[in-house]
Amino acid sequence: MRNYVIYLFFGICLTANAQTQDTLTLKFAEYLGYVKKFHPIAKQAELTISAGQANLMKSRGGFDPKVSVDYERKEFKDTEYWDRLNATFKIPTWYGIELKGNFEQNDGDFINRSEDVPDDGLYSAGVSVALARGSWINERMATLKKAKFFREQTKADRDLLVNQILFDASLAYFDWLQAYRNSLVFNNFLDNAAIRFEGIKRSALAGDKAAIDTVEAKIAVQNRSLELEQAKVVLRNKSLELSNFLWMGDNIPMEIQPNVIPDLDLDVEIDRTLEILGKPLDSFTLESHPKLKSLGFKIDGLRVDKRLKTNKLLPKIDVEYNFLTETPDLINSFVTEEYKGGINFQFPLFLRKERGDLKLAKIKLRDAQFELDNAEIQIRNKVLAIYNELDSFENQNVLIDDIVFNYETLLAAEERKFSFGESSLFLINSRESKLIDAVLKQNKVENKYFKAKAKLFQSLAVNPENL
């Protein structure tokens, strides 16, 4: 697969590092902005909105006016058996009422007496009404109502999908940042070990230090080189994981280049980018959570389905009445004495199918309500747990910063004593190893702190508007 150099596309959002001219910084906010705009999953999330709109349009089609024309003719051995034309225009409306206009013209030697109409045809205009089943709710009405709820549900589902991909992308960025910080640690301590080795080698040549000290100093350099090489492998792998989320228009994947680095000053920017800045616990409201909104709209649709199934327990009574006239252009030609009407009655004796459908609809509705209740408790407790985590990590960051500072103080003191000949290289290496472990732990705690903020962002299901 062709590799795309990231800074060719991020010219406007990458800023040069102040210390290294050929290093570019990928800002967290700009990174997530590209993820939200170009990542295939984010684009796929927008398709759910289109699906909801298309489903609503489809359901509204149940109320579209319909025109139907039936024409048939039979002629054999110079005999016209029949010539029938029947054109109908129907307008479905709300509450089981249907308006209808009709034109009928029949001719031929073998037409039934019931089909006899005037030579210029017969016009009719009337209405069909469902008096019981289908009166206050029917298939068309239920489909349209459910489609409206589904459209709103797709908006909430879109927010959940976007939130999830941004959450996953954030974790990848934080891991990349930790790997980069770790590589800096080993690189810096490798430089220190190399400088110390050169100094001890000169002192050994001058006779001020034992020659064996150069061996120990060289081992320290080799250990730091090994640790740095291992850190570089982790950094390259984390860069590849981050590249999974980097796309440009026309579905072009990109790959992070070695001279692109993460933003090292990230704490405040995370809150601003994920839009969780200054969100105290008491500001959290369950009603606005997209997952609960989605489940709520799902329940609304199931309630409509339950009402439809309940309505089907009623008998089917359809009444139709049509005015008949030869001259539809004259309003007074529509009189009640000339009409065509009828009534249709249907009622299953045991209603087993209808009662079974209603019972299933109630079960589905109850199941969805249980799911909603469970989701409310899970979300509430998860958010409370994350706020507790964040409070703890703030304390942990203070403690680990103090630990690192104290180890730095010990190492500096040991190096000073060594310069006076009052310490040994072994003690310096020991102090340095402890400091490296502390700094790596500091990076790890920082990573967990950032991930806790990302988990809060995921739990609140925020869809950032500023990206």
Side-chain angles (χ1 to χ4, degrees), residues 189-454:
F189 281 100
L190 174 60
D191 291 341
N192 292 341
I195 293 171
R196 189 182 302 121
F197 172 63
E198 292 298 329
I200 291 175
K201 187 165 65 172
R202 286 194 297 270
S203 297
L205 291 174
D208 296 333
K209 299 287 183 183
I212 194 64
D213 286 345
T214 61
V215 177
E216 188 171 359
K218 185 175 182 180
I219 291 174
V221 173
Q222 292 171 331
N223 281 330
R224 301 296 176 256
S225 298
L226 176 62
E227 291 166 342
L228 177 60
E229 186 61 32
Q230 293 171 342
K232 285 181 178 179
V233 172
V234 174
L235 177 59
R236 284 195 293 268
N237 290 340
K238 294 303 179 182
S239 298
L240 289 174
E241 291 178 13
L242 187 77
S243 299
N244 292 333
F245 297 94
L246 285 174
W247 296 74
M248 288 300 293
D250 300 325
N251 295 327
I252 300 175
M254 294 184 297
E255 184 175 322
I256 291 287
Q257 299 302 301
N259 64 328
V260 180
I261 65 172
D263 185 7
L264 299 179
D265 188 16
L266 195 59
D267 194 4
V268 177
E269 187 180 358
I270 291 177
D271 294 348
R272 187 182 302 110
T273 302
L274 300 181
E275 296 185 5
I276 57 174
L277 182 64
K279 278 189 176 291
L281 181 58
D282 54 8
S283 69
F284 171 62
T285 55
L286 284 174
E287 292 76 13
S288 60
H289 197 282
K291 183 174 182 180
L292 300 184
K293 283 184 177 180
S294 177
L295 290 173
F297 289 124
K298 178 182 177 181
I299 288 174
D300 290 337
L302 291 174
R303 286 197 181 107
V304 172
D305 195 53
K306 177 190 169 186
R307 287 199 295 269
L308 177 64
K309 297 298 190 293
T310 302
N311 184 258
K312 288 187 176 182
L313 296 176
L314 300 175
K316 184 177 181 181
I317 306 175
D318 295 335
V319 178
E320 183 176 356
Y321 184 90
N322 297 278
F323 295 97
L324 300 178
T325 181
E326 298 179 63
T327 55
D329 51 330
L330 300 176
I331 297 299
N332 59 5
S333 65
F334 291 95
V335 294
T336 56
E337 290 81 5
E338 296 178 347
Y339 68 91
K340 179 175 68 174
I343 184 171
N344 179 32
F345 176 84
Q346 293 181 18
F347 187 69
L349 295 180
F350 299 111
L351 292 172
R352 284 182 289 197
K353 179 180 181 301
E354 289 75 11
R355 287 188 287 116
D357 286 341
L358 177 58
K359 192 169 184 179
L360 289 173
K362 289 180 178 179
I363 291 173
K364 289 180 181 179
L365 177 59
R366 192 61 180 152
D367 180 72
Q369 289 172 334
F370 285 140
E371 185 180 1
L372 176 62
D373 294 340
N374 182 60
E376 286 182 351
I377 295 299
Q378 285 186 335
I379 292 172
R380 179 185 292 111
N381 291 339
K382 187 175 181 180
V383 170
L384 290 173
I386 292 172
Y387 272 106
N388 292 334
E389 253 187 277
L390 289 172
D391 290 340
S392 174
F393 277 123
E394 288 178 359
N395 295 330
Q396 290 180 44
N397 281 324
V398 173
L399 290 173
I400 193 64
D401 289 345
D402 287 343
I403 291 173
V404 169
F405 176 78
N406 291 332
Y407 273 122
E408 289 174 343
T409 303
L410 285 175
L411 177 60
E414 204 66 49
E415 288 176 336
R416 183 173 177 80
K417 289 169 64 178
F418 181 77
S419 67
F420 295 146
E422 298 177 0
S423 182
S424 66
L425 189 59
F426 173 79
L427 288 176
I428 290 179
N429 289 338
S430 177
R431 299 290 190 195
E432 192 175 68
S433 295
K434 293 291 186 181
L435 175 58
I436 291 174
D437 291 340
V439 175
L440 294 179
K441 186 179 292 185
Q442 183 184 42
N443 294 341
K444 187 176 181 180
V445 171
E446 180 190 60
N447 179 267
K448 290 182 177 180
Y449 179 53
F450 291 162
K451 286 186 175 181
K453 290 189 175 185

